Amino acid sequence: LSVGGPRLTLRYAVERDAVALYEMARDPQVTRFFSWGPYRRPAQARAYIARQPRERREGVRLDFVVEHAEHGVIGVTGLSELSRRDRRATVGTWFGRAWWGSGANAESKALLAALAFEHLGLWRLGAYSHPEHSRSAAALRGIGFKREGLLRGYHRHGERQLDVVVWSLLCGDWEGSRLRSEPVRVSGGLPRGWVV
Ligand SMILES: CC(C)(COP(=O)(O)OP(=O)(O)OC[C@H]1O[C@@H](n2cnc3c(N)ncnc32)[C@H](O)[C@@H]1OP(=O)(O)O)[C@@H](O)C(=O)NCCC(=O)NCCS
């Protein structure tokens, strides 16, 4: 499966992407608000890639590398927490530090939203942000996500149980949003189990 836009393409990770993912996610700034990382060894990126096919099959996680037409892999975006019954999933994204503020976030979310709403049949994309991660909040708001509230003690990071801010973009929001105006090409088979 490949989802292509003007500059970026979402595709499944393959083994040779491990080096690029490792180089970006070894930066503590990139994983600062995550439950994992920073990567200490390339093997951690390889292990992440190796578990993707099973997680995809089992409906656990549908992750893509974000590939720039000239610069190669610049980050990761994807879906988790699929509820087929409720037609919703949660989006998560990270980019190498050099790509923050580059417009890659909006384009990659446009691609993922088109896939989710137009091809997978989802109705709601949720997202979480750390209460102190104002950049993530501004980025989500900027592409049309609405802040819904604070989930208390929702994510466990190491020994800490953290509150998270919850956001959403509904199919109807997306239809009227600037994300929708990006041209999107979807090619290849859709992942079975993710089409609701
Ligand atoms: C979160 C992430 C995906 C957002 O992508 P991005 O390219 O940085 O986002 P954008 O530049 O499109 O938008 C960021 C917005 O925050 C603003 N901003 C920048 N630094 C900020 C800060 N310190 N505090 C508040 N807002 C800030 C920018 O001005 C921009 O707002 P604008 O569009 O109104 O100008 C990216 O920063 C990233 O990969 N971070 C590391 C991984 C991560 O934390 N992922 C998110 C987990 S929820």
Side-chain angles (χ1 to χ4, degrees), residues 29-30 33-34 93-95 99-103 105-106 109 128-130 133-136 138-140:
Q29 292 183 94
V30 169
F33 293 104
F34 289 163
T93 306
W94 65 264
F95 294 104
W99 299 98
W100 299 5
S102 69
N105 188 53
K109 294 290 201 318
Y128 301 124
S129 67
H130 188 292
H133 196 350
S134 36
R135 178 167 197 130
S136 172
L140 286 163

Side-chain angles (χ1 to χ4, degrees), residues 22-48:
Y22 166 69
E23 288 299 336
M24 293 183 288
R26 65 192 288 201
D27 178 350
Q29 292 183 94
V30 169
T31 62
R32 174 171 167 210
F33 293 104
F34 289 163
S35 59
W36 58 274
Y39 283 158
R40 303 279 178 212
R41 297 177 306 280
Q44 292 172 291
R46 285 200 296 275
Y48 159 76

